[in-house]
Amino acid sequence: MDKKIKALVAKYSNNETLLIQLVVKAFVRFNHLELGNGFLSAFVCTANEELEADIELLSAQCAIEDVISIFELAIPDMEKTANGAVYTPKYIRDYIVRQVMHSVEKPLEECLCADISCGCGAFLYTLAEYIHKHTGEPYCNIFKHLYGVDISTTSINRAKIMLALVALLNGEIIKDDLFNLFAGDSLTFDFQSMPNVATNNGLDIIVGNPPYVRSRHIDKDTKKNLPLWSSSKVGNADLYIPFFEIGLTALNDKGLLGYITVNTFFKSVNARALRNYFVDNQLSLSIVDFGQQIVFKKKLAYTCLAFISKKQSKSLLYVKADVADVEAQKNFVYSRIAYSTLDSHRGWHLNRNDVLENIRLIENAGEALGDKYVIKNGIATLANDVFIFRPVRTDENFHYLLRKGKEYTIEKGVCRDIIKPNILKSEEEISEKEEKIISPYDVDCNIISEEFFMDNYPNAYKYLQDCRDVLDKRDKGEGDYEAWYAFGRTQAIADSGKKLLFPYMSDLPHFVYTSQKDMMIYCGYAIYNDSETELLFLKKILESSVFDYYMKNTSKPYSTGYYSYAKNYVKSFGIYPFTDEEKQHLLSLKSKEEIDEYIRGIYQVAI
């Protein structure tokens, strides 16, 4: 959208009345229309000189999609965070509606269609436009069968205006009483109370973009209603999760649902109940997965399309698709994946059938990595920039750190070595990237007393006192710590031993061996074992093309080409029960090509 238009929307975003008057007048002028005496007549304005100039600017380009963009842009950032409001591109709406309409068994003009998180009505417009185009029905009849629910009263009013403009563009003047658009919380809304829905035994079609609100951003009133739905009854569910169940409950037995939503429900811990819901109810589910491709501009969310009906099925359909192919409105060839092969607790592996067979071979090759070896997370001080530092210089007794232009002297006795696996790729980098951490704990990993701290490490104590304001703000100032200078969490403080270091995310597998038992880690993971030989053997397996293949087909992707290496994703990799002779042979191999070929043969996978 043009910068001038964005500035114009920002100018009126705090004055809803003037914003609506501006949009209605600009749309009418751009399309050479007359308002008439319907719903839109209430938004006629007598423009002053400033408003008239803004109307003239906006009316240079003000089609329906422009109106939708303006209304979405005018949603305050706080509301976008709280309610998950986001603009859905037209090609996505077109694809979802087309797919659903092609599958419906009922005449389109008789279908009761809805968006139960409708925002400013973009999906409702797409539904109405499709039905009008394929049936010739006037919009006044289509709107009688079109339903929308949204928690925002402002959004519902904007949806009415947008739909009235669509009708006006086609020569129809719409009255307010024609709309079936309701302000309400879909978590508690009675969809059967909407006109004609109960007699139809529910809705025929539901499409939309369920609100993507992370659990931590859900307000208290909304959060208390999440347990009303089995799919979000336990754990810290994100807001989109129950909208599958809500939609399917609102549908009649032959109804169809089409959503664009985040694809994290395949694997995330907080979507376990949702995965169980799909499996337990044997729902007919088709997924078009965009993987790490970005659909929503300026919003780092990884998405998929989900098409669902209540028709019983023992399997789901899955395809990984290019966004460009959906934009071209192409149809896809799906892989059929039996529900019985999916693990709802650990997360669903969704892919082509040949890839799924390779994953099965890998995971069943031997004992799971997480069961065979100890995998630990790093420490969590909640104030790394205070505790962790790279000395500007060091002498016999002290390290010297620089903070906000001031140099501090820190006693060596209160410091430990620490490293960040997230930035490591080889053993040669350890000495260069090693840092120091002020560790106010004794040899038994108990917090040292304040008196002992002041007496034995007065310089480090004074430094932490100077940083007290930062430390006191951890956990929003409500942290219950053993001492004000303690780490934010006690995890990993006592961890010690030889280890393989690896990052939270990576484009390729990097497992870095260190024999420094007492070196602490942060922002990453470590696999611990007493045997250097065992760790070096494991390093060869985990840096192989087989492990890389496994991660890229089972882990969470990121748009940068990186994949999550979180413990939850690596722990199920099967470790083949190598004989001592096979281990020695693997350790003797030097080139990556030789190692990869040998391990592929061991695992018997075709990759």
Side-chain angles (χ1 to χ4, degrees), residues 511-532:
F511 289 80
V512 176
Y513 171 74
T514 179
S515 60
Q516 294 173 253
K517 292 184 177 182
D518 292 330
M519 175 181 279
M520 302 180 81
I521 67 167
Y522 74 106
C523 294
Y525 295 95
I527 300 173
Y528 290 84
N529 194 276
D530 292 335
S531 169
E532 176 178 337

Side-chain angles (χ1 to χ4, degrees), residues 16-79:
E16 183 67 12
T17 300
L18 282 180
L19 176 67
I20 298 303
Q21 290 174 348
L22 173 75
V23 169
V24 170
K25 187 70 173 178
F27 182 86
V28 168
R29 186 173 298 181
F30 173 71
N31 292 285
H32 310 291
L33 303 170
E34 294 292 334
L35 276 179
N37 196 30
F39 171 66
L40 292 173
S41 63
F43 305 101
V44 173
C45 64
T46 303
N48 56 33
E49 187 175 333
E50 181 181 1
L51 184 58
E52 177 59 35
D54 291 337
I55 291 170
E56 189 64 26
L57 174 62
L58 189 58
S59 64
Q61 180 61 46
C62 198
I64 287 295
E65 287 297 327
D66 298 307
V67 172
I68 294 171
S69 296
I70 289 166
F71 283 163
E72 299 285 352
L73 188 62
I75 299 171
D77 288 341
M78 283 186 62
E79 188 175 325

Side-chain angles (χ1 to χ4, degrees), residues 88 92 96 123 208-210 258-262 290 295-296 303-306:
T88 306
I92 293 290
I96 290 174
F123 268 99
N209 180 358
Y259 281 164
I260 179 168
T261 190
V262 289
F290 295 128
V295 170
F296 297 102
T303 55
C304 68
L305 308 182

Side-chain angles (χ1 to χ4, degrees), residues 463-495:
Y463 162 73
L464 292 182
Q465 271 195 323
D466 284 357
C467 301
R468 181 78 184 260
D469 60 329
V470 176
L471 299 180
D472 287 346
K473 289 176 183 175
R474 293 177 293 174
D475 283 318
K476 298 180 180 179
E478 298 176 359
D480 183 19
Y481 307 134
E482 296 174 277
W484 61 266
Y485 47 84
F487 293 166
R489 303 285 183 268
T490 57
Q491 67 184 46
I493 293 172
D495 292 346

